[in-house]
Structures are given as C-alpha cells and as structure tokens.
Amino acid sequence: MKKIHGKEQIAFNRIFREFDEVYHMIALKCNLSDSAFYILYSICELGNGCLQKDICAMTFLSKQTIHSSIRNLEQAGYLKLEAGRGRDKHIFLTKAGETMVEQKIFPVLIAENQVFSEMTKEEGDALLSLSEKYLSILRKNLKNMQIDVQKKIEKGDSVLL
C-alpha cells in the first residue's frame, strides 16, 4: 500500500488521537463514560438549564448518544430535566451532580486553564489560530474535493498536496 500522508500529518494525527486518549482516561478516572464526562463538562461551560441540542453542538456527539447518556445520568441522580418550549428539556444538575462536577470536572477545567497560563499569550493565540486555520482549510479541501483519490492511488499518481 502506498503512503499518502506526509510526516507532519502523521505527527498531527498522533497528537489529535492522543488528545482523545487523555480525555478518555480522565473520564475513566472519574468513573464516567466519555459521553457522560462530556455532558457534565458541557454543562459547566453552558450553564445549568442548557438544552440537549446545545450539548450536541458543543461536543459533536450524536443526538442519540447524548440523549442516552443524559437518561443514564438522570437515573443515577446527577441530572434532572425540566420542560421547556415545545419538546425542549432543560438540563439541570442535582445536588449530587453539583458535587460530582466540583470533584471531577472542575479539576480538569483548572488543569486546562493552567496550560494556557503556562504559555505566553502569543503561544496560546498561535495554537488557537493555527488550529482554526487547519480545520478551516481541511473543511474547504474536503468540500471542494473533486479528485477520486482511489483512482489516483491505483494509477500510482501522487496525492500529496
């Protein structure tokens, strides 16, 4: 099989996957599923009373995954749902949920904030700017992709840009 990634892309992909692994390990240490961790984390950012669709938009997890995990957290006594407009349900932390967030999620938020405080402002700005630029260019390239990569590979043509 022909290699089509450059060394920079391989390194970037490894780092990206390592981020996933770090947050997976955090969730495990909190005795939470990844989705439950991300829901509680999102509530910290969005605030009590947020909607399931807001959590979906923030986490990029499927509606079904979020719905199922919210139900599990509700059954475990960490969340309560209150009716909103139409079919909307507002999500609130219970007392047990607040304790869970204070003990398990806040330390993660503090550690994340510490990362940026240990960088110069320029480094933090560059990290954000370059990450946004990478994502923007990737979206554009995938949207405008007009070549059949498989055919190029089969012909032996280079697909590196």
Side-chain angles (χ1 to χ4, degrees):
M1 177 177 354
K2 189 173 186 170
K3 277 190 164 184
I4 61 172
H5 275 330
K7 65 181 179 180
E8 295 88 355
Q9 188 62 49
I10 291 169
F12 182 82
N13 288 345
R14 183 195 57 74
I15 292 167
F16 181 78
R17 288 185 194 100
E18 197 167 342
F19 272 111
D20 282 345
E21 179 63 14
V22 166
Y23 283 96
H24 173 69
M25 296 309 295
I26 292 168
L28 287 178
K29 285 184 180 185
C30 294
N31 293 318
L32 294 168
S33 68
D34 291 1
S35 57
F37 173 82
Y38 285 125
I39 288 167
L40 295 173
Y41 185 105
S42 296
I43 292 170
C44 290
E45 289 190 345
L46 295 166
N48 250 338
C50 63
L51 301 173
Q52 177 177 314
K53 67 181 178 183
D54 299 326
I55 294 173
C56 290
M58 178 170 270
T59 63
F60 296 94
L61 295 172
S62 75
K63 197 164 134 179
Q64 295 81 4
T65 298
I66 296 296
H67 179 77
S68 173
S69 197
I70 285 172
R71 292 288 171 223
N72 291 339
L73 287 166
E74 183 182 29
Q75 289 173 353
Y78 297 119
L79 298 179
K80 62 181 176 182
L81 304 177
E82 293 183 11
R85 259 198 248 155
R87 296 178 61 186
D88 286 342
K89 299 273 186 190
H90 293 274
I91 303 163
F92 293 90
L93 294 169
T94 62
K95 203 61 154 161
E98 289 174 1
T99 300
M100 166 75 81
V101 163
E102 288 171 10
Q103 293 175 350
K104 308 287 185 172
I105 309 300
F106 282 1
V108 176
L109 297 171
I110 291 167
E112 289 173 331
N113 286 327
Q114 179 104 22
V115 170
F116 280 95
S117 71
E118 291 181 24
M119 292 181 182
T120 65
K121 176 163 178 18
E122 292 78 18
E123 289 170 331
D125 289 348
L127 174 65
L128 295 174
S129 176
L130 291 172
S131 297
E132 288 173 356
K133 182 175 183 175
Y134 177 93
L135 187 55
S136 176
I137 293 169
L138 179 62
R139 283 187 175 133
K140 178 190 72 151
N141 288 346
L142 292 174
K143 183 178 179 184
N144 295 329
M145 193 168 50
Q146 296 179 356
I147 60 168
D148 185 344
V149 173
Q150 188 59 40
K151 285 182 184 174
K152 286 193 79 135
I153 291 170
E154 289 168 3
K155 285 175 52 179
D157 292 343
S158 174
V159 292
L160 291 177
L161 301 176

